[in-house]
Amino acid sequence: MSEGITGTDVLFVLLGAILVFAMHAGFAFLEVGTVRRKNQVNALIKIITDFGVSTISYFFIGYAVAYGVDFLVNAAVLSGQMEAEGYAFASNGYDLVKFFFLLTFAAAIPAIISGGIAERAKFWPQLIATAILTALIYPFFEGLVWNGNFGLQETVETLTGASFHDFAGSIVVHAIGGWIALGAVLLLGARKGRYAKDGRVNGIPPSNIPFLALGSWILCIGWFGFNVMSAQSIGGISGLVAMNSLMAMVGGIIAALVAGRNDPGFVHNGALAGLVAVCAGSDIMHPIGALATGAVAGTLFVFAFTYCQSRLKIDDVLGVWPLHGLCGLWGGIAAGIFGLEALGGLGGVSFIAQVVVSLLGCAYALIAGFIVYGLLKMVSGIRLSEEDEFIGADLSIHKIGAYPEEDLR
């Protein structure tokens, strides 16, 4: 590539990285608005420190696991100004902003998990889990799908006629994060007082609906960087991805509004459910197919969240398994339905490939979640003491609440 074209691509990917980085503020405020006031500071601290740990783990280990690239060479080589044996970095530092962009995806894994384990998880064991997940667990699957490691995509294409298609991460990011979170939530157990001995579900209302809504809005805006800029070059940008993201988002909103009977939590998460589901096929679907994908996802989230909390007695605080795990799984499958030419899509996908690899990805993540959090539970414990949980993570871990003046009264 000429220097001018590369410089444009660097700016394009950098802007995408910044947009997805901003989504982590959305994760934070979505959690802040959902948890009780005594756990709001902890929500904010978890998201930003998880990002810091993810950066270090992904820089030194994870990126090499996924793409076979390390950064242990001088800055002239990294920026593409000179060559070195065994290293091939593009000019203008393109590969560096590409790392930044893909890092924001990797860091979404602990940000997703954070919402499920909120209000009763220990702080330092969670950071250790973050390091393991972003150094090894997530990059391994990322490399299988997005870098063709170990011949998985070649094998799938040989058997089904098409490789597994996940343009922006319905499975690679969201389903992986959501199903790991399920393992963590099950090992942690429910919050104290959530379920009575007679089986009744005790309601724990959100602390701040405006913060919850703000988190959803920030995520929705950043998602257009998440999806559109997954092209990773200005020449690959497609308005179809933007349109499909928009249609899936509004499909999720309207479906969740109806299915959730005007509940604001369902409505704002419905938008996210639609966006999670459309990631995989946003580059190949017809907008009407994307609308249908989002509508199914919004409905799925409402009913799965309710069933999970009330019937299965799984205390997933933000509903990250229904939102990211199940809607992500639906998105991987939906790409194999609405991406078909017969349904107005661009084609080049196999329904069988989408179903099989999507299910394999979810199974891999669930097993990994049980292993990582199970080992931490045995070694250090992963849950706050009953007293610390009663006091709240803010004061018991960080020694300050979200409203310090009120604590002095």
Side-chain angles (χ1 to χ4, degrees):
M1 293 186 290
S2 71
E3 186 171 317
I5 295 174
T6 306
T8 304
D9 286 339
V10 169
L11 179 60
F12 175 76
V13 177
L14 176 60
L15 292 174
I18 292 169
L19 280 170
V20 185
F21 179 40
M23 290 175 69
H24 289 262
F27 283 120
F29 278 97
L30 192 70
E31 185 172 337
V32 167
T34 305
V35 299
R36 288 167 287 187
R37 285 164 58 118
K38 62 183 180 180
N39 296 298
Q40 290 180 329
V41 170
N42 180 245
L44 294 168
I45 295 294
K46 275 193 302 178
I47 299 298
I48 197 167
T49 53
D50 276 339
F51 192 91
V53 171
S54 297
T55 301
I56 293 170
S57 299
Y58 197 65
F59 179 83
F60 285 105
I61 302 174
Y63 198 72
V65 171
Y67 300 102
V69 176
D70 66 70
F71 302 99
L72 305 180
V73 67
N74 67 53
V77 175
L78 291 178
S79 60
Q81 296 179 28
M82 64 177 290
E83 296 181 357
E85 186 177 352
Y87 293 88
F89 288 96
S91 61
N92 294 75
Y94 172 81
D95 293 290
L96 304 183
V97 294
K98 179 181 177 182
F99 163 81
F100 182 14
F101 183 68
L102 293 173
L103 159 68
T104 59
F105 282 54
I109 301 298
I112 290 168
I113 296 167
S114 176
I117 64 175
E119 300 203 297
R120 76 274 201 203
K122 285 185 175 181
F123 182 69
W124 288 103
Q126 171 55 20
L127 288 185
I128 294 171
T130 292
I132 297 170
L133 294 172
T134 53
L136 299 172
I137 304 300
Y138 168 76
F140 176 77
F141 191 78
E142 176 189 16
L144 290 179
V145 175
W146 285 343
N147 198 47
N149 293 353
F150 300 106
L152 173 68
Q153 291 285 35
E154 293 178 3
T155 301
V156 171
E157 185 172 2
T158 299
L159 293 175
T160 67
S163 59
F164 175 66
H165 189 89
D166 189 0
F167 180 69
S170 288
I171 298 297
V172 174
V173 178
H174 298 287
I176 293 297
W179 285 84
I180 291 174
L182 176 61
V185 168
L186 291 174
L187 287 169
L188 268 174
R191 289 168 290 177
K192 295 295 180 183
R194 178 59 168 149
Y195 301 110
K197 292 182 179 180
D198 61 4
R200 288 182 295 107
V201 180
N202 295 320
I204 300 178
S207 62
N208 193 307
I209 296 297
F211 275 163
L212 186 158
L214 175 63
S216 176
W217 275 104
I218 294 171
L219 284 164
C220 287
I221 293 167
W223 223 295
F224 287 88
F226 196 97
N227 283 2
V228 175
M229 292 171 171
S230 284
Q232 297 185 25
S233 69
I234 196 73
I237 192 170
S238 171
L240 181 64
V241 177
M243 174 64 83
N244 285 340
S245 300
L246 174 67
M247 296 300 282
M249 181 186 73
V250 299
I253 292 170
I254 301 303
L257 174 70
V258 176
R261 301 180 180 181
N262 309 327
D263 182 280
F266 285 140
V267 171
H268 286 96
N269 277 287
L272 308 181
L275 287 163
V276 164
V278 82
C279 286
S282 57
D283 62 326
I284 56 173
M285 291 181 179
H286 187 280
I288 297 176
L291 179 66
T293 297
V296 171
T299 306
L300 174 62
F301 173 73
V302 171
F303 287 103
F305 179 86
T306 303
Y307 189 80
C308 174
Q309 298 283 339
S310 301
R311 298 294 184 86
L312 298 180
K313 301 293 192 296
I314 298 174
D315 191 15
D316 178 352
V317 181
L318 267 67
V320 297
W321 177 53
L323 179 63
H324 298 275
L326 294 180
C327 292
L329 173 59
W330 158 241
I333 296 171
I337 300 173
F338 296 108
L340 297 173
E341 291 184 39
L343 292 176
L346 297 182
V349 290
S350 161
F351 175 72
I352 298 299
Q354 295 302 120
V355 171
V356 171
V357 180
S358 294
L359 290 173
L360 286 175
C362 294
Y364 165 77
L366 180 61
I367 293 169
F370 275 117
I371 291 174
V372 172
Y373 285 93
L375 289 173
L376 287 170
K377 185 175 182 178
M378 289 190 295
V379 173
S380 64
I382 57 176
R383 181 163 183 151
L384 292 173
S385 68
E386 188 170 342
E387 180 182 359
D388 285 345
E389 184 179 343
F390 176 78
I391 294 170
D394 292 359
L395 293 178
S396 63
I397 297 174
H398 309 291
K399 312 306 177 187
I400 190 169
Y403 308 91
E405 287 182 316
E406 293 184 11
D407 295 337
L408 296 175
R409 294 174 184 173

